[in-house]
Amino acid sequence: MSLVQPRTLPGALELLPREQIAFQRLLDTIRATYERFGFLPIETPVMELTEVLLTKEGGETERQVYFAQSTGDREAGREPELALRFDLTVPLARYVAQYEHQLAFPFRRYQIQRVYRGERAQRGRFREFYQCDIDIVGKDELPVRFDAELPAVIYSLFTELGFGGFRIQINNRKLLRGVLAALGIAEGEPQTLVLREVDKLDKRGPEYLRDTLRERFSLGDDIIGRLLAFVGTRSTSYAHARGLLADLERDLAHPLLAQGAAELREVLDRLVDFGVPDSHVCLNFAIARGLDYYTGTVYETILTDHPEIGSVCSGGRYDDLASHYTKSRLPGVGLSIGATRLFWQLRELGLYKDAESTVQVLVALMDESLLGPALQLATRLRAAGIAVEAQLEAAKLAKQLKYADRAGIRFVALLGSDELAKGVVSVKDMQRGTQFEVAADELAATLEVEIAQARAMAGVPRA
Amino acid sequence: MSLVQPRTLPGALELLPREQIAFQRLLDTIRATYERFGFLPIETPVMELTEVLLTKEGGETERQVYFAQSTGDREAGREPELALRFDLTVPLARYVAQYEHQLAFPFRRYQIQRVYRGERAQRGRFREFYQCDIDIVGKDELPVRFDAELPAVIYSLFTELGFGGFRIQINNRKLLRGVLAALGIAEGEPQTLVLREVDKLDKRGPEYLRDTLRERFSLGDDIIGRLLAFVGTRSTSYAHARGLLADLERDLAHPLLAQGAAELREVLDRLVDFGVPDSHVCLNFAIARGLDYYTGTVYETILTDHPEIGSVCSGGRYDDLASHYTKSRLPGVGLSIGATRLFWQLRELGLYKDAESTVQVLVALMDESLLGPALQLATRLRAAGIAVEAQLEAAKLAKQLKYADRAGIRFVALLGSDELAKGVVSVKDMQRGTQFEVAADELAATLEVEIAQARAMAGVPRA
């Protein structure tokens, strides 16, 4: 029989177990934080009916869709009725519309699942990747104060993740549009095109933006100057942010600007209530996001030690989530973390070391005759809630210690015939390089204390 | 704009949030148990290359495969290069062969992901469902004692899940084949066909089996009688099981029978070491499983209060996992739980009540002017690791209590102006129907104790 070369599709991130453990801890932390803020879990099928999924005008997104079809339907020459979701927002819209009368609004949901895009194969581009979304969806209306809850979640999350400094950048599209209107840039298409360029400021720099505005939009130097000064503004504290908004309203007058400024002030006030410090929030007037989808508050989050990664968590306020599926008006606000890309990038930067194993204790086996007592020991430890790998084949101690070291297992429990006779177990702490002996009956309790201490030191939450 | 009816593909189980919480707890318990026994996580892409996935002779399985194709590839008229996995075993084989030199053997892996089958739409048949697999894969060889570790995991898991009584039924295909051979049924095709019928004994009953053996296989009444007596045998204890094996070896002689009996004895001995009690294990000589894939030990698990569900957890020993991808011999033993089907069936039986919410405390809001203090309270509770939903819009208390009740949130924290003035918080325990007042500073600690107690009572593991 000829062998098939084992390989995955390009653009899928498949991990070795120790990497998977690290990635799983990232997802677990995200989930625990989302739950701590009262978001409820949902999951939706990977495949949606094409008619439901592809309601919007196709364009770039539709070209990247994976269609799916069973063997039978293919053979019958049918068009594919199924497609893989390309984000979690369309499935959320479908879900909320479908179960509208069974859900309580405002509906806070989190969803941590994979999405699929037929991207061109390229390093760092993924065709399958995890998105970790939170959204709050209101019925008929959703007061702007809700827009402050999402950055509060993100502050708590990135503090706990410990990737170093980060900053949640906030803007408001009404404010942006008001400013553009006040500067004489017409609503609709012209504003949309200008905003698309403004959104690139942090990547391309002010010179690029100045040249583009001059050449493509024929704006006068005065307008360009004022626009550049505006979109280049960043707040450094809540007080500074409020001052910037007041200055803006004094210098330029437009109802949309005033509304956007009022919304931003409300968000800032509530962020103070949520205990989010100045240091981690700033107004960044260059952030526009996805153009027409968002209608008010928009967010991006950068890791200040690694700004080259770009935004690690983005989202904003939208007016109506599910207009394709229901006549009900469902305004909302949401945020998404691309966990696969984030993990991959942090790993590329060397920030993700191999994780400590999920296995907490290796019960070694030095002599075949001791298999029974070793398994009984493993069973007692497991009954105490400790994650134990039992060696089922006798091997030299050095080999078993080397295995534990490579696998990232912290404790090795040794039960030789001497120990068995004395009613004790020897424990090697691979992390500290120490060894101690403990009565067999007390081993579980002793290790529980050690593990709880290590967890407390690492700041791992309890539940 | 005409509305699209929001709906999912038939055969996908989509849950409301409280159901999703219950399902998530099932998956979490499975995962925690797998980890407690030293199994390491892996995840593989939903899509595999068709060339890699569909190495086996197609038949029924291949007909149920979903193929996937991006827009571009469809338009170019190409054949699909991708297909959705239909189980987790083929991806495991591909994974182990692909990373063979980076993995440590025996490789214990768990994998909890969704799989896809183009089943005919039918109640209780799923096109997308979770499988929760554990496998131990050896390099070159894997001693039979490993076959005892999987039932030990299952014993621990189903004890913790608390679905009532269950029994892990064990058999050995070598023993089965040895008995058939000793009874004069030829190896190869005849044995395979007879085993396929034997496997149906528990579903169809002995009369069906007797008639089929007589009519289709032209076996003599004496042989049929002996075969029926054999496959109808169930052990009631480890001692009884050993006695049955001894009887069998005395009555019939065949090298395969002897080998199978020796393997079963080894499994039974190790199960005793693993602390699995007699009451939850039995030999069931009618269990044959998936015919040619399994080569030694086979398992099925039934819920004794709900035998009509059939096996909730099945698996066995195989000789060579990845012969399509590597020349290395990789014997292993594995088990799979179909979590979606299990959840659905238990829910149908009324055994899954709506879960308590992931939200532990609702911070109510009775007056708009108290939004700030309410958010600050929520923030303090969250900092203590408590999952809190903060009401951001003032509403009548009765309405908020009703919401908490419907949502399955146990505690409601009330911070009215009286409470604020006194520096206390009123807490309503929705479960006990009691209310108490506690100093605001002590609220987090008080609730932590309550939650920890509730968790201990429910037998939920800590981590």
Side-chain angles (χ1 to χ4, degrees):
Chain A
M1 190 173 60
S2 74
L3 294 179
V4 175
Q5 196 208 333
R7 62 203 193 281
T8 54
L9 72 153
L13 186 68
E14 189 168 73
L15 303 170
L16 288 168
R18 284 190 77 175
E19 299 173 316
Q20 182 66 39
I21 291 167
F23 183 64
Q24 193 60 51
R25 291 204 173 119
L26 171 63
L27 295 187
D28 286 347
T29 304
I30 294 172
R31 175 182 159 196
T33 307
Y34 287 174
E35 291 188 353
R36 206 161 61 237
F37 279 79
F39 289 77
L40 300 174
I42 73 165
E43 291 195 342
T44 63
V46 158
M47 293 188 281
E48 296 272 354
L49 296 165
T50 49
E51 186 200 335
V52 172
L53 190 67
L54 304 174
T55 53
K56 293 195 188 160
E57 303 67 37
E60 188 59 25
T61 307
E62 184 155 349
R63 293 199 64 78
Q64 295 188 344
V65 166
Y66 282 107
F67 292 92
Q69 202 169 29
S70 67
T71 321
D73 282 352
R74 256 176 64 73
E75 286 173 358
R78 297 196 190 102
E79 283 296 298
E81 289 177 354
L82 299 168
L84 275 60
R85 61 173 168 231
F86 48 81
D87 70 9
L88 300 179
T89 304
V90 177
L92 172 66
R94 194 264 308 146
Y95 183 97
V96 173
Q98 186 169 343
Y99 308 109
E100 193 180 330
H101 302 293
Q102 292 147 277
L103 299 174
F105 293 92
F107 176 50
R108 284 178 175 82
R109 89 86 173 76
Y110 78 84
Q111 189 170 359
I112 299 178
Q113 291 194 286
R114 296 173 182 221
V115 303
Y116 297 85
R117 292 189 194 165
E119 298 266 6
R120 248 185 315 151
Q122 196 180 320
R123 193 174 155 70
R125 289 250 176 167
F126 296 102
R127 290 171 171 170
E128 175 184 64
F129 56 96
Y130 270 98
Q131 283 198 335
C132 309
D133 279 23
I134 37 176
D135 286 83
I136 309 174
V137 181
K139 185 97 165 245
D140 302 321
E141 56 169 359
L142 187 75
V144 72
R145 63 185 64 167
F146 284 89
D147 298 16
E149 196 161 39
L150 302 195
V153 176
I154 295 311
Y155 169 70
S156 179
L157 175 60
F158 279 86
T159 300
E160 187 165 329
L161 287 174
F163 300 141
F166 63 91
R167 197 175 297 126
I168 304 166
Q169 306 183 108
I170 302 182
N171 199 8
N172 185 294
R173 281 179 58 88
K174 292 191 186 105
L175 179 94
L176 272 179
R177 290 194 169 273
V179 169
L180 294 192
L183 290 176
I185 300 166
E187 285 186 35
E189 185 80 356
Q191 286 194 1
T192 300
L193 293 174
V194 169
L195 284 183
R196 194 173 293 169
E197 298 304 326
V198 164
D199 211 27
K200 298 174 186 164
L201 174 63
D202 286 344
K203 266 189 199 150
R204 304 261 179 110
E207 285 316 308
Y208 166 85
L209 182 56
R210 182 187 303 275
D211 293 347
T212 307
L213 291 175
R214 189 180 285 141
E215 288 159 25
R216 288 197 36 207
F217 299 97
S218 318
L219 295 177
D221 280 348
D222 172 51
I223 298 295
I224 290 177
R226 293 177 73 178
L227 189 55
L228 276 173
F230 165 64
V231 300
T233 306
R234 310 282 178 271
S235 70
T236 54
S237 70
Y238 288 132
H240 183 219
R242 289 193 194 92
L244 290 174
L245 293 174
D247 291 350
L248 206 53
E249 287 195 276
R250 198 191 51 224
D251 295 347
L252 294 168
H254 192 278
L256 264 178
L257 190 168
Q259 200 186 334
E263 291 184 4
L264 280 176
R265 268 191 290 265
E266 169 79 13
V267 171
L268 295 173
D269 287 350
R270 296 289 81 79
L271 281 174
V272 174
D273 290 334
F274 277 118
V276 181
D278 283 81
S279 50
H280 289 72
V281 174
C282 88
L283 294 188
N284 177 343
F285 293 133
I287 289 173
R289 301 290 318 155
L291 304 166
D292 288 328
Y293 182 65
Y294 295 115
T295 52
T297 313
V298 284
Y299 327 90
E300 290 191 356
T301 302
I302 54 159
L303 303 182
T304 47
D305 298 333
H306 311 285
E308 70 278 13
I309 290 183
S311 178
V312 294
C313 171
S314 311
R317 155 74 66 149
Y318 41 87
D319 269 347
D320 197 1
L321 176 68
S323 58
H324 290 95
Y325 310 119
T326 174
K327 286 179 181 166
S328 304
R329 193 161 163 271
L330 301 167
V333 58
L335 263 181
S336 181
I337 299 175
T340 300
R341 184 169 163 272
L342 175 60
F343 180 82
W344 182 83
Q345 283 172 316
L346 293 172
R347 196 182 60 169
E348 291 287 300
L349 290 167
L351 290 175
Y352 256 115
K353 307 281 177 246
D354 271 347
E356 198 172 300
S357 180
T358 42
V359 177
Q360 296 165 320
V361 180
L362 180 77
V363 173
L365 182 65
M366 284 163 294
D367 187 317
E368 283 289 324
S369 70
L370 295 170
L371 179 61
L375 295 186
Q376 291 156 25
L377 178 68
T379 299
R380 282 206 302 278
L381 295 178
R382 286 168 181 155
I386 298 171
V388 177
E389 178 180 339
Q391 288 282 79
L392 298 192
E393 296 171 280
K396 284 196 178 135
L397 181 58
K399 194 182 160 195
Q400 296 184 64
L401 292 178
K402 193 172 160 192
Y403 167 70
D405 184 49
R406 285 202 182 153
I409 303 171
R410 178 159 170 203
F411 296 103
V412 180
L414 310 167
L415 185 64
S417 40
D418 287 356
E419 281 91 352
L420 195 62
K422 284 162 64 185
V424 299
V425 177
S426 294
V427 178
K428 219 169 161 71
D429 182 335
M430 303 298 290
Q431 206 166 290
R432 294 209 192 113
T434 56
Q435 184 164 339
F436 57 92
E437 219 176 71
V438 57
D441 289 345
E442 287 164 24
L443 178 61
T446 304
L447 290 174
E448 276 184 281
V449 170
E450 292 279 348
I451 290 163
Q453 277 179 355
R455 188 172 292 163
M457 303 258 297
V460 178
R462 276 145 306 160
Chain B
M1 190 173 63
S2 72
L3 294 178
V4 175
Q5 194 208 335
R7 62 203 194 282
T8 54
L9 73 152
L13 185 69
E14 189 168 72
L15 303 170
L16 288 168
R18 283 189 78 175
E19 299 173 316
Q20 182 65 38
I21 290 168
F23 183 64
Q24 193 60 51
R25 290 203 175 120
L26 170 63
L27 295 187
D28 286 347
T29 304
I30 294 172
R31 175 181 159 197
T33 306
Y34 287 174
E35 291 188 353
R36 206 161 61 236
F37 279 80
F39 289 78
L40 299 175
I42 74 165
E43 290 195 341
T44 63
V46 159
M47 294 188 280
E48 296 273 351
L49 296 164
T50 48
E51 186 200 337
V52 172
L53 190 67
L54 305 174
T55 52
K56 292 194 189 162
E57 304 67 35
E60 189 58 24
T61 307
E62 183 155 348
R63 293 198 62 81
Q64 296 189 342
V65 166
Y66 282 108
F67 292 91
Q69 201 168 30
S70 66
T71 322
D73 282 353
R74 257 176 61 76
E75 286 172 359
R78 296 196 191 101
E79 283 297 298
E81 289 177 354
L82 299 168
L84 276 61
R85 62 174 168 231
F86 47 82
D87 70 9
L88 300 179
T89 304
V90 177
L92 171 66
R94 193 263 308 146
Y95 183 98
V96 173
Q98 188 169 341
Y99 307 109
E100 192 180 330
H101 302 294
Q102 292 147 277
L103 299 174
F105 292 92
F107 175 50
R108 283 177 176 82
R109 88 85 173 78
Y110 77 84
Q111 188 169 0
I112 299 177
Q113 290 195 285
R114 295 172 182 222
V115 304
Y116 298 84
R117 292 189 193 166
E119 296 267 5
R120 246 183 320 150
Q122 195 180 321
R123 194 174 155 70
R125 286 250 177 169
F126 296 102
R127 290 171 171 170
E128 175 184 64
F129 56 97
Y130 270 98
Q131 283 198 335
C132 309
D133 280 24
I134 37 176
D135 286 84
I136 310 173
V137 181
K139 186 96 166 244
D140 301 322
E141 57 170 359
L142 187 76
V144 72
R145 61 185 64 167
F146 283 89
D147 297 16
E149 197 161 38
L150 303 195
V153 176
I154 294 312
Y155 169 69
S156 180
L157 175 61
F158 278 85
T159 300
E160 188 164 330
L161 287 174
F163 300 142
F166 62 92
R167 196 176 299 126
I168 304 166
Q169 306 184 109
I170 303 182
N171 199 6
N172 185 293
R173 282 180 56 89
K174 292 192 187 102
L175 179 95
L176 273 179
R177 291 194 168 273
V179 168
L180 294 192
L183 291 175
I185 300 165
E187 286 185 37
E189 186 80 355
Q191 286 194 0
T192 301
L193 292 174
V194 168
L195 284 183
R196 192 172 294 167
E197 298 305 324
V198 164
D199 211 25
K200 298 175 187 164
L201 174 63
D202 285 344
K203 266 189 198 151
R204 305 260 179 112
E207 285 316 308
Y208 166 85
L209 183 56
R210 182 188 303 276
D211 292 348
T212 307
L213 292 174
R214 189 179 285 142
E215 288 158 26
R216 288 196 37 207
F217 299 95
S218 317
L219 295 178
D221 279 348
D222 172 52
I223 298 293
I224 290 177
R226 294 177 73 179
L227 188 55
L228 277 172
F230 164 63
V231 300
T233 306
R234 310 282 177 271
S235 71
T236 54
S237 70
Y238 288 131
H240 183 218
R242 288 192 195 93
L244 290 174
L245 293 174
D247 291 351
L248 206 53
E249 288 195 276
R250 197 193 51 222
D251 295 347
L252 295 167
H254 192 279
L256 265 177
L257 191 166
Q259 200 185 336
E263 291 184 3
L264 280 176
R265 269 190 289 266
E266 169 80 13
V267 170
L268 297 172
D269 287 348
R270 296 290 80 79
L271 281 173
V272 174
D273 289 334
F274 277 118
V276 180
D278 282 80
S279 50
H280 289 72
V281 173
C282 88
L283 294 188
N284 177 343
F285 293 133
I287 289 174
R289 301 290 316 154
L291 303 166
D292 289 328
Y293 182 66
Y294 295 115
T295 52
T297 313
V298 284
Y299 327 90
E300 290 191 355
T301 302
I302 54 161
L303 303 182
T304 47
D305 299 332
H306 311 284
E308 70 277 14
I309 289 182
S311 178
V312 294
C313 170
S314 311
R317 155 74 66 150
Y318 41 87
D319 268 347
D320 196 0
L321 176 68
S323 59
H324 290 95
Y325 311 120
T326 173
K327 288 180 179 166
S328 303
R329 193 162 163 273
L330 301 168
V333 59
L335 263 182
S336 182
I337 299 175
T340 299
R341 183 170 164 272
L342 176 60
F343 179 82
W344 183 84
Q345 283 173 314
L346 293 172
R347 196 182 59 170
E348 290 287 300
L349 290 167
L351 290 175
Y352 255 115
K353 306 282 176 242
D354 272 347
E356 197 172 303
S357 180
T358 43
V359 177
Q360 296 165 321
V361 180
L362 180 77
V363 173
L365 182 65
M366 285 164 292
D367 186 318
E368 283 289 324
S369 70
L370 295 170
L371 179 61
L375 295 186
Q376 291 156 25
L377 178 68
T379 299
R380 282 207 301 278
L381 295 178
R382 286 167 180 156
I386 297 171
V388 177
E389 178 180 337
Q391 289 282 81
L392 297 192
E393 295 171 281
K396 285 197 176 132
L397 181 58
K399 194 181 161 196
Q400 297 184 62
L401 292 178
K402 192 171 161 195
Y403 167 71
D405 184 49
R406 284 199 183 158
I409 303 171
R410 177 161 171 200
F411 295 104
V412 180
L414 309 168
L415 185 63
S417 40
D418 288 356
E419 281 92 352
L420 196 62
K422 285 162 64 185
V424 300
V425 178
S426 294
V427 178
K428 216 165 164 74
D429 183 334
M430 304 297 291
Q431 206 166 292
R432 292 207 192 115
T434 57
Q435 184 164 338
F436 57 92
E437 219 177 70
V438 57
D441 289 345
E442 287 164 24
L443 178 61
T446 304
L447 290 173
E448 276 184 281
V449 170
E450 293 279 349
I451 291 163
Q453 276 178 354
R455 190 172 288 163
M457 304 259 297
V460 177
R462 276 145 306 165

